[in-house]
Amino acid sequence: MSDLPHFGPEFTWGVSTASYQIEGAVDEDGRGRSIWDEFSHTPGRVKDGDTGDVACDHYHRYRDDVALMADLGVDAYRFSISWPRIQPDGVRVEPRGLDFYDRLVDTLLEHGIEPSATLFHWDSPLALEADGGWENRDIAERFAEYARIVGERLSDRVTRWFTLNETVIFTLLGHGTGIHAPGKELGFGALQVAWHQLLAHGRSVQALRAAGARQVGPANNHTQVRPIDDSEASRDAAGLFDLIYNRAFLDPILLKSWPLAGIVDPVAQDGDLDLIAQPIDFLGINSYNPQYIGAAEPGAAIPFDMVTPEGLEYNDFGWPIIPDGFTQMLTGLKETYGDALPPILITENGGAFNETPGDDGRVRDQRRIDYTAAHLAALREAMDAGVDVRGYFHWSFMDNFEWAEGYSQRFGLTWVDYATQQRLPKDSFAWYRSVIDAQRAG
């Protein structure tokens, strides 16, 4: 489209989803129970008692969904593999689970779409929780074995591999505050879980490469951190938040260092940082908005306050819409890591805009179009400033189970009627298709 900058012929255009959010079929073909099955079936954990039992029924409808992606015109599809489909008890291999992803990958290739697989998007086998789950260092070896199994089956056809998705969110919400599965409230003790995820990342990079994977990297969540005011207390609080949220999950991989040394130190062994800092081919970045931080009240449990300023535009999830924060997050990473920063793929970006079909069956989600256009322009600004970005994956291809919010928030380019499983491309679907077409036309 003429009002958007050009991204070049090699730029990858894609969409993203995650297994528990779309697949359903939780009791089929030998799949084991995941921590999200347990969590969502626990009263009071998920809004309206929603679960991912059916979700978008993608397990049965994947062929139609891939055909719709082909109509959208994307180059690549980022999906996640359900660990409990592959190893229902965390140990035994279930061939029918591997067969499903075989079929999905082949169907994508038949439509000219690059399979881009995420090994872990938060749905670990529930059976591993009996041994402590991600609090147990041994899970890194379990994860490496899982990576080997999947890699040996699919790496001949998968274009790019993402190891773990949003380690910071899984750490802080799943293990720090208990808002997400597995619902643990460890406070800063959750950073030990972060360390084990970093180890699992390193071991899975090794396993995937040994299995023949061509491109491997993590998919991290990063945000620009903004002090709410210019006071020293707010600046200090924002600096600490940045260390915990951003740098703790990237410094070990890129700089072979732990940025919270002397503040919160994980239980580690000699050689851990060498293992974590495996060479990667790209850095996947999920990002939606900046985070404002203020000083904590005296005696507060955490040493910063996550602030929601007045006077900003927000999406239906209550997240602020600030496109220049996208630019500044990316240029900030370049300033921090310099030549250590690998090429970047934007693996998630989007928003909850909950428009529903009108009487004519059309979903007029202009707010999603405006958000995406503004963030693509902001992305181009970062690229013009020297940040090496090679692709953009919109979150999400279709409406889905939005974790603790259940089905109340809609992020998709495609509207889903959860009662009938009807798919209805929104206005944003047609707009994104036109963007991709225009980029290819030059």
Side-chain angles (χ1 to χ4, degrees):
M1 298 179 70
S2 60
D3 57 339
L4 279 180
H6 194 61
F7 287 83
E10 302 302 317
F11 195 81
T12 297
W13 296 94
V15 286
S16 293
T17 67
S19 52
Y20 188 72
Q21 294 181 269
I22 66 167
E23 285 182 359
V26 295
D27 297 318
E28 292 190 39
D29 291 340
R31 179 188 178 276
R33 197 166 174 83
S34 77
I35 58 173
W36 266 98
D37 293 304
E38 181 76 6
F39 188 83
S40 66
H41 280 268
T42 302
R45 290 296 202 177
V46 175
K47 187 172 183 176
D48 298 326
D50 291 339
T51 75
D53 289 1
V54 178
C56 304
D57 196 32
H58 175 74
Y59 191 78
H60 299 116
R61 301 169 187 266
Y62 71 93
R63 292 187 186 278
D64 290 340
D65 289 338
V66 171
L68 195 56
M69 290 175 207
D71 182 51
L72 180 59
V74 292
D75 301 305
Y77 170 46
R78 176 178 170 249
F79 60 95
S80 79
I81 295 169
S82 170
W83 189 356
R85 283 204 194 281
I86 308 304
Q87 293 182 289
D89 59 1
V91 179
R92 178 180 62 82
V93 178
E94 173 50 71
R96 289 172 292 180
L98 287 167
D99 290 346
F100 169 70
Y101 294 106
D102 248 342
R103 296 192 299 271
L104 174 60
V105 165
D106 286 346
T107 303
L108 289 165
L109 292 172
E110 288 166 7
H111 286 83
I113 299 171
E114 297 173 350
S116 303
T118 303
L119 281 177
F120 180 65
H121 200 128
W122 306 348
D123 51 346
S124 46
L126 182 63
L128 296 181
E129 286 298 310
D131 295 324
W134 287 93
E135 292 183 78
N136 184 345
R137 180 186 174 93
D138 181 60
I139 200 167
E141 298 307 314
R142 301 280 189 94
F143 191 75
E145 175 64 8
Y146 159 59
R148 180 194 66 79
I149 293 163
V150 175
E152 288 181 352
R153 184 66 171 263
L154 300 175
S155 64
D156 61 328
R157 285 158 290 150
V158 168
T159 302
R160 57 187 68 83
W161 291 90
F162 302 93
T163 53
L164 290 87
N165 179 78
E166 294 190 347
T167 47
V168 61
I169 304 299
F170 188 62
T171 297
L172 299 183
L173 297 191
H175 296 81
T177 64
I179 293 172
H180 282 184
K184 296 181 179 180
E185 300 178 19
L186 305 176
F188 283 108
L191 286 170
Q192 188 65 44
V193 169
W195 192 256
H196 295 159
Q197 289 182 81
L198 288 164
L199 291 172
H201 159 77
R203 288 289 288 112
S204 63
V205 170
Q206 292 177 329
L208 287 169
R209 293 207 189 283
R214 290 167 279 179
Q215 299 181 50
V216 184
N220 283 5
N221 185 292
H222 291 291
T223 185
Q224 186 208 16
V225 181
R226 298 182 171 187
I228 192 63
D229 55 46
D230 197 40
S231 68
E232 182 178 0
S234 290
R235 293 198 308 270
D236 288 347
L240 178 59
F241 183 85
D242 183 57
L243 288 178
I244 292 170
Y245 195 98
N246 290 313
R247 299 198 58 165
F249 297 89
L250 204 48
D251 283 24
I253 295 173
L254 298 185
L255 302 181
K256 203 184 298 187
S257 65
W258 177 246
L260 292 166
I263 302 173
V264 182
D265 290 298
V267 177
Q269 297 179 9
D270 290 344
D272 277 2
L273 282 170
D274 290 325
L275 172 60
I276 293 167
Q278 296 296 305
I280 55 176
D281 301 295
F282 55 77
L283 171 63
I285 292 181
N286 302 351
S287 192
Y288 294 86
N289 54 265
Q291 178 61 59
Y292 287 88
I293 297 293
E297 295 293 328
I302 56 176
F304 46 76
D305 185 19
M306 300 175 69
V307 183
T308 304
E310 296 182 358
L312 299 175
E313 182 182 1
Y314 291 89
N315 69 20
D316 291 336
F317 210 153
W319 298 354
I321 300 172
I322 309 174
D324 70 341
F326 198 43
T327 307
Q328 293 167 31
M329 177 273 296
L330 290 164
T331 56
L333 289 175
K334 180 65 176 176
E335 291 168 6
T336 298
Y337 296 102
D339 291 342
L341 188 68
I344 288 170
L345 294 170
I346 302 302
T347 36
E348 289 185 24
N349 176 248
F353 301 100
N354 297 336
E355 286 81 1
T356 57
D359 292 340
D360 58 356
R362 179 176 163 191
V363 181
R364 294 170 170 81
D365 59 336
Q366 185 63 42
R367 292 186 299 158
R368 175 171 290 104
I369 294 171
D370 293 343
Y371 173 98
T372 309
H375 281 75
L376 287 174
L379 175 59
R380 183 67 253 186
E381 286 188 33
M383 295 168 67
D384 290 342
V387 184
D388 184 3
V389 182
R390 302 194 180 177
Y392 177 89
F393 291 71
H394 189 275
W395 184 272
S396 173
F397 170 65
M398 58 184 168
D399 297 337
N400 53 47
F401 177 83
E402 184 48 41
W403 308 114
E405 294 298 312
Y407 296 101
S408 67
Q409 302 295 333
R410 292 180 178 267
F411 281 79
L413 298 168
T414 306
W415 190 80
V416 177
D417 183 330
Y418 298 112
T420 66
Q421 293 300 333
Q422 177 193 12
R423 271 68 161 151
L424 180 62
K426 304 177 185 179
D427 280 6
S428 59
F429 182 105
W431 175 85
Y432 193 47
R433 178 171 56 198
S434 70
V435 168
I436 297 171
D437 287 347
Q439 294 291 322
R440 288 179 180 151

